Every structure is written in C-alpha cells, then in structure tokens.
C-alpha cells in the first residue's frame, strides 16, 4: 500500500486515519537516538530534576517554617515553587524512566493527561508571575496601604483565580487535542507530548485547531504578560519620583528577583516559539524546550534566594534546626 507523505496538515499513514483512541499509543523519541548518549542524558536530567525538587522544596519549607516570611510576597513565592515542582514532574520522570527501560511508549490517555498537566502548571507559572507583579506594584506604589490591600483573603483569592484560569486553559487544549485523529504507531519527535507536535502529527484538518491554539496563547499568555508590563510601568514611574538615589535602589532591589524570573520565563518562552517556527527540525525544538521545562524551574529557587537576605536567613535557620 502506498504511504502518503505530507508536510503540514497530513500525516505518515499506511491506513485510513482513525480516531481509535482506545488502543492508540504514541512513541516518544526523546532527545537523541544515539545509544552512547543515553547514559549522559539520563545522568544530566536526573541531576537537574533532583536539584529542582530540592531547591523548590527548600523554598517552601523555609517560607512555611519562618514566621518572618509569612507575607504575601513569600506566600506567592511558595506557591510558585509548588507550580515549578509540578511543571517539571510532568515531563522529566517519564523521560528518565523511558531512558532506563529503553521504551518511549505512552498511551493515548497518558499523553492527554501529560499534556493537561503540562499546560496547567505552565499557565499557572505565568499567572502567578502576574500576581507577584501586582504584589510588587502595591508594595511600591501604595506602601502605606500594602497590608490592607494584600490581605490574606485577597492573596488566597488571587491564587485560586490563577489556578482556575490555568485549569481552563489546560482543559481547552485537552479538548482540542481529543478531537484530533491519529494513525497507529505515531512517533513524536520529542521527550513529552508537546501540543504543537501532536497538531503536526494529526491526520485530519488542523487549521481550526491551529487558529484556536493561537487565540488561547494570546489570551492566556498575552494577558498575563500585559499585566506584568503594566505593573512595571507603574512601578518604574513611581520609583523615578523618589528623590534619593538610595530609595530608588532599595525599590529596584525588591523587584530584582521577580523581574529576573519574568525575563527568564517569557524570554525563553518567546525564544522557543520563534525557534520552533523558524526551524524545520523537530529535534532542535525538543532540545530548545529543555530550557523551558527543566532549566527555568531549577533556576527559580536560586534567583529568589541568592539575592534575598530573608530567604538566606530562613534557609540557614532551617538547616541549623535539622542539623
């Protein structure tokens, strides 16, 4: 039987495409098919995953155990650490297991579940960074009313809304993906069920799905980024009105860690999107996504702890207590 080979909205198929979701399985090809590189990739990703877990857990323990850190800013930071743990745990353990077992098979249901949690925690990172930008805006622009505005009820509400927005985004992507039809023995040139790769591998027309994906990206990615930009516009305007240079420096320092995390998160996200659209190599896209899915969650604890005296003191007290 003649195989059909298409480049955009068609697929590699030796049979008529069917939506046989009950028996359909995918094969994750990973980052490299070179057997000699597998031990190196295994060791590298296991080390990064353990470092990510350790760093974020230490942030959560430090914030929860130290009463001096029971403030809105550190409350949001601990929730961000939880989201980072969830984000990296969605993809890396499966990849490590695949290397160890020499099998990248994932079921259709497992693929949808992985995709859902990947979108959920990725969007939650984005919305939490927006909430933290609002927190810095209130702290700098309305310092005398900060504790009144950022009360525990509002903080909890902001986290709940962030989670619900992220859940809506993930379920919309999951619904779109569930409408796609795939052939049997579909190979995904990635180390996880990347939504963009699934769209490319679908056998039916995906023009509507692509359009909706861009719309969801603009809403769930663009709106939070716009909120961050607006918050920092107000923050910079307020700081420039401070007469003393020491006052300006102190205000900028309080935003430094958050601004670094925002630039890292959105900078790599935008860079990954541009590289994936410009490059026709799925493998290069998979390697580039490592920064987004592994490196950022690993670096966030260092970003917030290395330049933060309160976190350093809390971690020191925590380590002394356990020693």
């Amino acid at each position: 039987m003649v195989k059909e080979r298409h480049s955009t909205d068609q697929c590699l198929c030796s049979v008529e495409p069917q939506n046989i979701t009950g028996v359909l399985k995918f094969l994750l090809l990973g980052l490299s098919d070179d057997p000699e590189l597998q031990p190196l990739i295994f060791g590298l990703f296991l080390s990064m995953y353990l470092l990510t877990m350790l760093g974020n857990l230490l942030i959560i323990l430090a914030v929860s155990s130290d009463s001096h850190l029971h403030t809105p800013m550190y409350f949001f930071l601990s929730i961000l650490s939880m989201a980072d743990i969830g984000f990296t745990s969605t993809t890396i353990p499966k990849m490590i297991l695949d290397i160890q077992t020499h099998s990248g098979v994932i079921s259709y249901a497992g693929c949808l579940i992985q995709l859902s949690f990947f979108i959920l925690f990725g969007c939650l990172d984005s919305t939490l960074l927006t909430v933290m930008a609002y927190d810095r805006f209130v702290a700098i622009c309305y310092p005398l009313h900060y504790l009144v505005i950022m009360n525990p009820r509002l903080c909890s509400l902001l986290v709940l809304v962030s989670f619900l927005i992220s859940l809506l985004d993930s379920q919309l992507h999951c619904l779109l993906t569930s409408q796609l039809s795939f052939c049997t023995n579909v190979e995904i040139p990635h180390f996880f069920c990347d939504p963009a790769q699934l769209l490319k591998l679908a056998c039916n027309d995906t023009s509507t799905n692509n359009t909706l994906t861009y719309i969801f990206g603009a809403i769930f990615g663009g709106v939070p980024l716009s909120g961050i930009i607006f918050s920092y516009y107000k923050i910079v305007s307020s700081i420039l009105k401070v007469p003393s240079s020491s006052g300006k420096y102190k205000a900028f320092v309080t935003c430094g860690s958050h601004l670094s995390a925002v630039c890292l998160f959105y900078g790599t996200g935008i860079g990954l999107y541009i590289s994936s659209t410009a490059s026709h190599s799925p493998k290069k896209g998979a390697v580039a996504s490592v920064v987004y899915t592994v490196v950022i969650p690993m670096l966030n604890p260092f970003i917030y702890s290395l330049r933060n005296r309160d976190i350093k003191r809390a971690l020191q007290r925590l380590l002394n207590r356990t020693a």
Side-chain angles (χ1 to χ4, degrees):
M1 187 175 292
V2 180
K3 289 188 177 182
E4 299 176 3
R5 187 178 184 88
H6 306 268
S7 59
T8 55
D9 57 349
Q10 299 171 355
C11 60
L12 289 173
C13 222
S14 58
V15 294
E16 287 297 317
Q18 305 174 57
N19 194 9
I20 47 175
T21 57
V23 296
L24 180 63
K25 293 183 179 180
F26 298 106
L27 181 64
L28 299 172
L29 299 181
L31 293 174
S32 174
D33 53 5
D34 187 349
E36 295 182 359
L37 288 178
Q38 298 307 307
L40 176 62
I41 295 174
F42 176 84
L44 181 63
F45 276 82
L46 179 61
S47 301
M48 289 194 294
Y49 180 66
L50 293 176
L51 191 58
T52 301
M53 294 292 290
L54 178 62
N56 283 287
L57 283 174
L58 282 175
I59 292 291
I60 295 169
L61 288 173
V63 172
S64 60
S65 64
D66 197 318
S67 59
H68 297 93
L69 301 183
H70 292 175
T71 62
M73 180 176 71
Y74 295 113
F75 169 69
F76 295 136
L77 176 59
S78 63
I79 301 297
L80 180 67
S81 292
M82 291 180 191
D84 281 338
I85 288 174
F87 190 50
T88 191
S89 296
T90 302
T91 57
I92 303 307
K94 168 63 177 168
M95 178 189 179
I96 293 172
L97 181 64
D98 288 346
I99 295 174
Q100 189 69 16
T101 59
H102 306 287
S103 172
V105 175
I106 184 170
S107 66
Y108 178 85
C111 194
L112 283 183
I113 292 171
Q114 188 183 60
L115 180 146
S116 297
F117 280 106
F118 177 78
I119 299 294
L120 171 66
F121 290 116
C123 186
L124 187 56
D125 264 5
S126 175
T127 51
L128 285 174
L129 287 173
T130 307
V131 168
M132 294 171 78
Y134 174 71
D135 173 73
R136 294 299 83 206
F137 158 71
V138 175
I140 292 175
C141 298
Y142 303 97
L144 299 179
H145 304 284
Y146 175 71
L147 293 178
V148 177
I149 297 173
M150 300 302 296
N151 57 74
R153 184 178 178 182
L154 178 63
C155 293
S156 300
L157 181 62
L158 288 172
V159 171
L160 177 62
V161 170
S162 298
F163 176 78
L164 292 177
I165 290 172
S166 304
L167 183 62
L168 175 62
D169 186 25
S170 73
Q171 292 309 299
L172 287 173
H173 276 87
C174 186
L175 179 63
L176 283 179
T177 306
S178 66
Q179 304 304 310
L180 299 175
S181 297
F182 299 93
C183 303
T184 55
N185 303 320
V186 179
E187 295 182 345
I188 302 176
H190 219 295
F191 62 92
F192 68 95
C193 289
D194 181 48
Q197 290 298 325
L198 290 174
L199 276 175
K200 292 178 182 178
L201 293 170
C203 292
N204 53 335
D205 181 29
T206 60
S207 55
T208 303
N209 297 68
N210 280 317
T211 303
L212 290 174
T213 300
Y214 286 127
I215 292 173
F216 294 157
I219 295 173
F220 294 103
V223 173
L225 180 58
S226 300
I228 293 173
I229 293 171
F230 179 77
S231 295
Y232 272 100
Y233 165 73
K234 290 291 187 180
I235 288 171
V236 172
S237 300
S238 180
I239 290 176
L240 292 177
K241 295 177 183 177
V242 177
S244 65
S245 57
S246 61
K248 291 179 181 178
Y249 175 75
K250 186 178 179 180
F252 271 120
V253 166
T254 61
C255 301
S257 297
H258 176 260
L259 194 57
S260 300
V262 168
C263 292
L264 187 63
F265 182 83
Y266 281 100
T268 53
I270 293 171
L272 176 61
Y273 174 77
I274 293 173
S275 65
S276 64
T277 54
S279 175
H280 298 288
S281 173
K283 285 291 183 183
K284 289 182 179 179
V287 174
S289 65
V290 170
V291 178
Y292 196 71
T293 57
V294 187
V295 177
I296 293 177
M298 182 182 68
L299 291 181
N300 273 345
F302 295 99
I303 292 173
Y304 280 100
S305 61
L306 291 178
R307 299 177 60 185
N308 191 307
R309 292 179 182 177
D310 294 333
I311 290 287
K312 284 181 181 178
R313 293 194 191 103
L315 287 173
Q316 187 64 46
R317 283 192 286 267
L318 180 66
L319 293 174
N320 291 336
R321 201 177 304 165
T322 55

